Amino acid sequence: MSIGIPVERMDGRAKVTGTAPYAYEHQVADPLYLHLIQSTIARGQVTAIDVAAAEALPGVAAVLTHHTAPRLAPDAPAEFRALQSGEIVHHGQVIAGVVAESPHIARHAAGLVRVTYDARPHDVRLRADHPDLYTPDMVAIGAPADSATGDTHAALASAPFRIDQTYTTSAMFHSPIEPHATTAIWADDLTVYEASQGVHDFTALLAQALGFPADRIRVIAPHVGGAFGSKGLARPHAVLAALASRMTGGRAVKVALTRRQMFALTNHRPATVQRVQLGADADGRLTALVHDAILSTARYEEYVEWVATSSRNMYATPNRRTTHRAVRLDVQMPAPMRAPGEAQGHFATESAMDELATAIGMDPIELRIRNEPSADADTGLPWSSRNLVECLRLGAQRFGWAGRGRRREGDWLIGTGVAAATLPTWFKLISVAYGPSHAAVEHVGNGRYLVSTGASDAGTGARTALSQIAADALSVPLSDVDLELGDNALPRAMLAAGSMGTMVWGSAIVAAAGEFRRLHGTDPRPGARAEGAMTGNPHTERVTIDSFHAVFAEAAVHAETGEIRVPRLLGVFDIGRVVNPRTARSQLIGGMTMGLSMALHESAAVDQHVGAVVNNDFAGYHIATHADVADIDAVWLDKPDPYANEMGIRPAGENGVIGVAAAVANAVNHATGVRIRDLPITPDKLVVSRFAR
Amino acid sequence: MKPFEYVRADDATQAVAMVAERPNARFLGGGTNLVDHMKLGLVEPELLVDVTALPFNRVEPLPDGGVRIGAAVRNSDLAANPLVRQNYPVLAAALLSGASGQLRNLATTGGNLVQRTRCPYFQTLYTPCNKREPGSGCSAITGHNREHAILGASQACVATHPSDMAVALTALGATVRVLGPAGERVVPIGELNRLPGDEPHQDTTLNHGELITAVDLPALPLAKRSAYYKVRDRASYAFAQVSAAIAVDIHSGVVRDVRVALGGVAHKPWRAHRAEALLRGAPATEDVFRAAADAELAEAKPLSDNGFKVPMVRNTLVSVLRRLAREH
Ligand SMILES: Cc1cc2nc3c(=O)[nH]c(=O)nc-3n(C[C@H](O)[C@H](O)[C@H](O)COP(=O)(O)OP(=O)(O)OC[C@H]3O[C@@H](n4cnc5c(N)ncnc54)[C@H](O)[C@@H]3O)c2cc1C
Ligand code: SF4
């Protein structure tokens, strides 16, 4: 068996020695370099654009503007319709690009382009009392915006214990270490090296935007340096690199966004304002749960994230209401960022649960156990396997939860907190959005197998885990398997999304291996080949397949300065079978670090006047550093889910993110008595609170 | 960024002459601030005169017991210097709290002193900013100003000076040695950086072409008992929200002498003269510490986003003084 073994990352050596090529680094002959120019207003019109000085600079091959750029398909998604008109719909939008013999010349020339605007009033700030709030038809995951059962008004009115609080979260930026980058060569056919989470989906979008046949577009992405949802779509930089190549006679064109550009051009996690109302009886049983989420979307294209949907089935209660309201702002479209919706939603509800536990005087773990549901209240179906209580109990034991007392060590006040969480599995999106995933198995001779799928390894370790799945499915040693991915010439596979990659692509590989053995037996000829596909999950009509976890945090707050440290963080995960403990652990503690960063650091400074986020670099937009991450651990229950797939695996990676912010907020509250309901929890918010003198 | 000429200077007088005669020439230290600004298009120098190879890369004892720090000494080397660690621990601590290991390996003493503000509007070409474009207005006063000044600011500019090292040097009463076209002069550290007033585009009192050659630390026995505390939004690699450099001599429960400087609160490192005056000769008690902090903050003028800095400064001062008093 290979599954379950902590195999080292197969591309680890290539990555740390710098020999694994990323999108910008592929060797191509005689490349040109594209530098993008961005709008400095949030809404209005480009009235004039003077490119004379840029064009006159030696080494400049072309300047692309909305006057000169080739036309794109009018039905292409708004995000990709770069340079099709002078209209500005968000700050930092691409309004021109310079192509030159070196990146330095391109950047210099970009600075010489003069743009005049006709600016119109903009609005970029999310407010709970915004006059233009509306009810979307659906949230982006395809679920209804609202849900209601029972009589929440009456239940809240008569509840002996009641919580009614508002929680806010900041917009966040994906910030993968590899910037978004493209190398495009459009001679006859189009070849694109792209930092992409899904080569096939990317191909389809690019083909649509360019009005060029998908089967004449080759997309190659063997390595992707982090994505977190931000590399799922084709973006203006990729579209423009292709157009620039076409405009320069098919020369290769390279583009990499600068870190500052990424803050405006690669989407973001939407900010939220969430009101949570809980009613409970003296035994801690929830008599009502109301979760009302308000969030921003873009005026030019709708994306309303699902923030309150997990409140539809996380806990048992007879009276329940969830709503989503959105407001269209003059901002770039938000988009999924690791654990979209769940990350913000759980901060609100799991903080509120902690507030309720305090109000009742009940242990917060006990409160959650009392409200453990017997079935999925949203669908009425049973769970395939829900072991949240076991996560809480095991975590309590390992963390040393019992007898938790707040204490003081020198200047530091120390407390502990817990949160529970769920991550849904979006199987139904396979039929409506993601499409089936395929894989192929080929015997190359001497007992060696080449397994291929157009999957993507965005740094998760998918390449390694899928090889392990393939080895077991073929009943051969891992060393006899070679795996290819990240290329649209390989069998079509869905993009890496919803933490479903390993699971879905793994199922396709298992199907292909089964088909291979059926057709070719155990002693196949060289060149024998078979394909298989994952087209959906047959059990979703009968069971709900979700993942669960519990997070425990210890927080230390400086009694004088309000500084916050998190000395200990433990996650206990119910994620089915774990294929590779090494890469899974790294995904989970990576996710937990992201959750910690959301809890303590990541904050978008939105300037309403400028119409943009103004702390748009890594000195201003803080992400957790090594020094912020202390004792961090992730463990799992190892309970294969027989309904999820043949391997028993469920979505894993994103779980790491979800519960952390609330666990940290709850620990800060335990340490100080101060409840911070506005993320991130920064020293300024604590130093002005009553605990500090 | 615009193409530029680069010269590595091996003679200080020549370096000064080269920069002085061209208004658009700049000295280049580690480049960790200047090169960023060139990439952002904030400055477009025609000529960079690299001054890191000049013979100003030593830390030497002075005959009076003080120490001379060459302007080209890297922040990492200065923090690791035994003389500094022993006699001026506040300086080593301040240096190590700044930036990251990689940046400190490049950053020079001279460059660190004259690094420019991190105000986001200053670093963005298209937002009004009196420091970048005199007369254009100040975007921070009505915009995002959480990191900005609470002391000594003006209607024209509310930016802060970002350096940690300079806060320690200010507490220590260092002097800055400067070489200009007309020869050498000595500038007390408190007079190097300016308050913004009506001319926020002038960060310092240096004239164009004046080169910092060294920083002298006076012999200061009380500096052996000194500390730097920096409050920031994360555990490392962040600029100070508020910081305090303090050296104190307490005898029989009475403050005999004290030096206090604050970072993150003003357009320059802020020597807390009022707090010092109140502390000197007073009993080393919590009440006195608090009164001293309040005296210094009496004229604090917080902005819309940074009212927290007032309690944060007060609490930081009190807790560092308390700790130093306990160690006596
Ligand atoms: C991400 C980031 C985080 C940072 N965090 C911190 C922090 O937490 N705390 C902190 O204190 N600093 C921090 N810094 C700033 C860093 O300390 C400064 O960039 C550095 O000290 C500047 O020194 P340098 O030698 O690189 O200067 P350069 O960039 O070379 O020069 C800066 C300026 O000084 C001038 N100059 C250089 N040498 C001389 C001289 N001898 N005489 C006269 N003028 C001279 C140059 O012309 C230029 O105008 C950070 C920087 C970055 C990029
Ligand atoms: S505070 Fe100073 S640096 Fe910042 S915008 Fe205002 S004038 Fe410019």
Side-chain angles (χ1 to χ4, degrees):
Chain A
M1 284 286 280
S2 288
I3 290 180
I5 294 173
V7 179
E8 279 178 27
R9 231 170 245 266
M10 290 168 165
D11 44 19
R13 188 184 179 86
K15 283 184 175 176
V16 298
T17 54
T19 53
Y22 289 84
Y24 193 77
E25 300 165 344
H26 288 273
Q27 297 285 330
V28 291
D30 199 21
L32 289 164
Y33 297 84
L34 169 65
H35 191 83
L36 302 179
I37 300 174
Q38 297 173 277
S39 138
T40 60
I41 63 166
R43 191 179 185 198
Q45 200 75 27
V46 173
T47 50
I49 182 156
D50 177 0
V51 300
E55 277 178 343
L57 199 70
V60 170
V63 181
L64 285 75
T65 67
H66 65 279
H67 299 299
T68 61
R71 296 301 91 185
L72 296 166
D75 61 341
E79 280 289 287
F80 322 136
R81 278 199 309 265
L83 304 186
Q84 298 303 293
S85 79
E87 192 191 353
I88 307 293
V89 295
H90 70 84
H91 197 284
Q93 179 185 327
V94 177
I95 50 169
V98 179
V99 192
E101 297 292 337
S102 78
H104 315 93
I105 297 172
R107 198 164 176 169
H108 178 202
L112 301 176
V113 172
R114 292 287 161 261
V115 184
T116 3
Y117 302 98
D118 177 13
R120 291 185 50 201
H122 59 248
D123 184 3
V124 298
R125 208 172 46 201
L126 177 66
R127 294 182 279 132
D129 60 351
H130 202 290
D132 299 339
L133 287 176
Y134 73 98
T135 307
D137 293 340
M138 289 273 190
V139 290
I141 208 68
D146 294 357
S147 77
T149 44
D151 184 345
T152 50
H153 285 286
L156 284 169
S158 63
F161 294 96
R162 222 172 7 222
I163 297 296
D164 179 359
Q165 293 294 352
T166 297
Y167 305 85
T168 53
T169 64
S170 170
M172 289 171 63
F173 297 91
H174 305 72
S175 307
I177 192 164
E178 180 205 21
H180 293 62
T182 306
T183 300
I185 309 152
W186 195 352
D188 281 337
D189 291 348
L190 170 60
T191 302
V192 183
Y193 300 90
E194 175 70 12
S196 172
Q197 277 171 256
V199 286
H200 291 281
D201 293 274
F202 175 81
T203 306
L205 289 165
L206 199 58
Q208 187 192 1
L210 298 175
F212 192 69
D215 59 6
R216 293 179 60 195
I217 303 177
R218 177 82 183 275
V219 176
I220 301 169
H223 301 286
V224 179
F228 314 122
S230 73
K231 292 174 179 169
L233 305 172
R235 287 175 195 290
H237 70 271
V239 175
L240 291 179
L243 294 184
S245 175
R246 169 135 280 193
M247 284 172 75
T248 53
R251 276 180 74 181
V253 172
K254 293 189 173 211
V255 62
L257 298 191
T258 67
R259 190 56 71 179
R260 282 195 171 228
Q261 290 178 333
M262 287 171 68
F263 280 86
L265 290 173
T266 65
N267 308 119
H268 59 275
R269 189 197 289 286
T272 68
V273 179
Q274 302 173 63
R275 181 173 173 201
V276 178
Q277 300 173 77
L278 302 176
D281 63 22
D283 292 335
R285 290 204 171 73
L286 287 172
T287 54
L289 188 164
V290 177
H291 188 175
D292 297 315
I294 293 173
L295 61 170
S296 56
T297 184
R299 201 185 294 279
Y300 66 93
E301 184 133 311
E302 184 180 73
Y303 168 85
V304 179
E305 201 155 282
W306 53 102
V307 174
T309 45
S310 46
S311 287
R312 294 174 188 170
N313 67 4
M314 178 66 175
Y315 294 115
T317 182
N319 304 294
R320 186 189 320 256
R321 189 185 81 215
T322 64
T323 67
H324 294 82
R325 298 290 174 268
V327 57
R328 295 187 182 91
L329 299 175
D330 301 299
V331 297
Q332 206 206 6
M333 188 181 105
M337 172 168 163
R338 214 173 187 194
E342 315 300 343
Q344 305 101 305
H346 280 78
F347 165 65
T349 50
E350 289 299 301
S351 293
M353 285 296 276
D354 200 63
E355 299 203 51
L356 180 62
T358 308
I360 303 176
M362 179 177 279
D363 181 272
I365 293 180
E366 184 55 33
L367 176 67
R368 287 170 172 89
I369 292 173
R370 295 237 171 136
N371 290 290
E372 182 66 7
S374 56
D376 174 352
D378 197 24
T379 59
L381 301 176
W383 265 284
S384 58
S385 142
R386 172 170 167 137
N387 303 293
L388 177 60
V389 171
E390 199 173 330
C391 291
L392 287 161
R393 292 216 163 105
L394 178 65
Q397 197 188 330
R398 292 182 76 118
F399 188 76
W401 179 262
R404 71 196 270 252
R406 68 199 66 184
R407 61 185 203 277
R408 181 166 183 142
E409 284 177 15
D411 284 334
W412 295 88
L413 308 171
I414 297 167
T416 54
V418 66
T422 176
L423 174 72
T425 310
W426 304 112
F427 276 123
K428 68 173 178 188
L429 289 189
I430 291 174
S431 52
V432 298
Y434 298 149
S437 288
H438 303 260
V441 170
E442 184 182 338
H443 179 228
V444 291
N446 299 323
R448 291 198 65 79
Y449 293 85
L450 179 63
V451 178
S452 52
T453 174
S456 153
D457 187 339
T460 58
R463 180 178 269 111
T464 310
L466 294 178
S467 299
Q468 290 173 261
I469 290 172
D472 284 6
L474 288 163
S475 303
V476 299
L478 184 59
S479 54
D480 284 346
V481 173
D482 291 310
L483 188 107
E484 283 183 322
L485 47 65
D487 187 332
N488 71 351
L490 303 176
R492 193 209 176 274
M494 70 173 260
L495 79 168
S499 294
M500 289 166 65
T502 306
M503 194 176 83
V504 167
W505 305 323
S507 288
I509 289 172
V510 169
E515 184 65 4
F516 182 92
R517 290 289 182 234
R518 199 180 63 76
L519 292 175
H520 307 295
T522 50
D523 188 17
R525 63 183 163 77
R529 189 172 188 277
E531 290 208 9
M534 195 283 183
T535 53
N537 184 309
H539 306 297
T540 49
E541 299 300 313
R542 291 190 292 121
V543 288
T544 296
I545 303 166
D546 290 350
S547 293
F548 302 92
H549 67 271
V551 181
F552 294 77
E554 181 175 279
V557 178
H558 194 288
E560 304 278 356
T561 64
E563 290 160 285
I564 307 116
R565 302 284 182 266
V566 176
R568 288 199 296 146
L569 208 48
L570 169 70
V572 182
F573 298 90
D574 177 23
I575 49 177
R577 190 195 301 279
V578 164
V579 177
N580 181 328
R582 186 188 300 261
T583 53
R585 181 183 141 80
S586 143
Q587 279 297 293
L588 293 168
I589 62 172
M592 290 166 72
T593 304
M594 215 169 206
L596 179 69
S597 200
M598 173 180 181
L600 299 185
H601 306 302
E602 297 190 43
S603 173
V606 177
D607 185 311
Q608 170 71 11
H609 185 72
V610 178
V613 169
V614 292
N615 58 338
N616 55 347
D617 63 23
F618 280 176
Y621 180 80
H622 288 165
I623 296 170
T625 64
H626 281 290
D628 292 290
V629 183
D631 177 351
I632 187 167
D633 200 9
V635 297
W636 47 84
L637 302 181
D638 237 342
K639 295 202 173 183
D641 186 332
Y643 295 96
N645 42 58
E646 307 73 0
M647 298 87 66
I649 60 184
R650 282 207 302 247
E654 288 173 299
N655 282 282
V657 183
I658 302 171
V660 176
V664 170
N666 297 342
V668 166
N669 173 257
H670 186 233
T672 62
V674 178
R675 174 63 62 178
I676 304 292
R677 301 186 183 88
D678 173 38
L679 290 186
I681 306 170
T682 43
D684 51 332
K685 294 174 187 170
L686 283 156
V687 85
V688 296
S689 64
R690 63 185 166 77
F691 91 93
R693 272 169 296 171
Chain B
M1 83 169 85
K2 219 168 138 179
F4 55 89
E5 262 180 84
Y6 169 91
V7 178
R8 176 169 276 241
D10 47 23
D11 178 88
T13 315
Q14 269 175 20
V16 168
M18 273 188 283
V19 171
E21 74 195 16
R22 284 168 74 170
N24 220 355
R26 291 280 185 286
F27 298 118
L28 177 70
T32 60
N33 195 222
L34 182 57
V35 175
D36 276 2
H37 286 176
M38 291 166 66
K39 286 192 198 159
L40 292 172
L42 295 186
V43 286
E44 297 189 324
E46 298 157 9
L47 169 67
L48 292 187
V49 178
D50 185 337
V51 293
T52 56
L54 294 177
F56 304 140
N57 56 358
R58 305 223 335 249
V59 182
E60 306 160 295
L62 291 171
D64 69 350
V67 167
R68 173 160 300 168
I69 303 161
V73 172
R74 309 282 178 176
N75 287 180
S76 296
D77 295 334
L78 186 56
N81 184 278
L83 274 178
V84 170
R85 293 173 63 92
Q86 225 167 54
N87 296 338
Y88 310 94
V90 63
L91 178 57
L95 284 159
L96 291 178
S97 76
S100 66
Q102 293 95 323
L103 286 160
R104 295 194 295 268
N105 287 344
L106 272 176
T108 61
T109 309
N112 189 314
L113 278 177
V114 294
Q115 63 172 298
R116 308 203 68 187
T117 185
R118 310 302 293 199
C119 173
Y121 305 100
F122 172 69
Q123 298 183 84
T124 308
L125 280 182
Y126 49 81
T127 49
C129 167
N130 289 324
K131 185 181 282 298
R132 182 167 31 75
E133 218 180 297
S136 63
C138 171
S139 296
I141 289 178
T142 51
H144 174 78
N145 53 39
R146 179 171 174 266
E147 288 78 27
H148 290 67
I150 55 169
L151 290 167
S154 70
Q155 280 305 306
C157 178
V158 292
T160 53
H161 190 263
S163 169
D164 291 297
M165 179 190 83
V167 180
L169 294 179
T170 300
L172 295 171
T175 47
V176 181
R177 303 185 73 85
V178 175
L179 181 68
E184 260 208 287
R185 67 184 180 110
V186 171
V187 184
I189 185 97
E191 291 167 26
L192 181 73
N193 291 98
R194 298 176 63 255
L195 289 179
D198 294 336
E199 296 189 311
H201 61 286
Q202 296 280 9
D203 284 357
T204 71
T205 55
L206 295 179
N207 299 310
H208 180 69
E210 282 195 314
L211 175 72
I212 298 173
T213 58
V215 175
D216 288 353
L217 302 179
L220 193 69
L222 89 152
K224 283 202 165 142
R225 241 185 248 300
S226 60
Y228 188 74
Y229 199 92
K230 176 175 178 180
V231 185
R232 46 187 152 176
D233 284 341
R234 57 183 171 189
S236 120
Y237 199 31
F239 289 94
Q241 286 300 349
V242 151
S243 72
I246 305 184
V248 65
D249 177 13
I250 296 172
H251 195 76
S252 310
V254 173
V255 177
R256 282 212 296 215
D257 198 6
V258 65
R259 301 294 168 85
V260 181
L262 300 171
V265 296
H267 196 257
K268 61 191 253 183
W270 187 264
R271 178 81 178 263
H273 288 294
R274 293 172 182 217
E276 287 183 11
L278 218 137
L279 287 165
R280 226 169 259 126
T285 63
E286 187 93 7
D287 288 346
V288 168
F289 298 161
R290 207 160 286 282
D294 286 339
E296 196 60 52
L297 290 163
E299 283 177 20
K301 288 196 186 64
L303 304 159
S304 52
D305 298 344
N306 71 1
F308 69 91
K309 285 197 177 185
V310 174
M312 195 177 265
V313 168
R314 182 190 305 123
N315 293 359
T316 302
L317 277 180
V318 172
S319 80
V320 177
L321 282 166
R322 190 195 301 134
R323 176 153 57 85
L324 287 170
R326 226 185 282 133
E327 286 167 11
H328 266 73

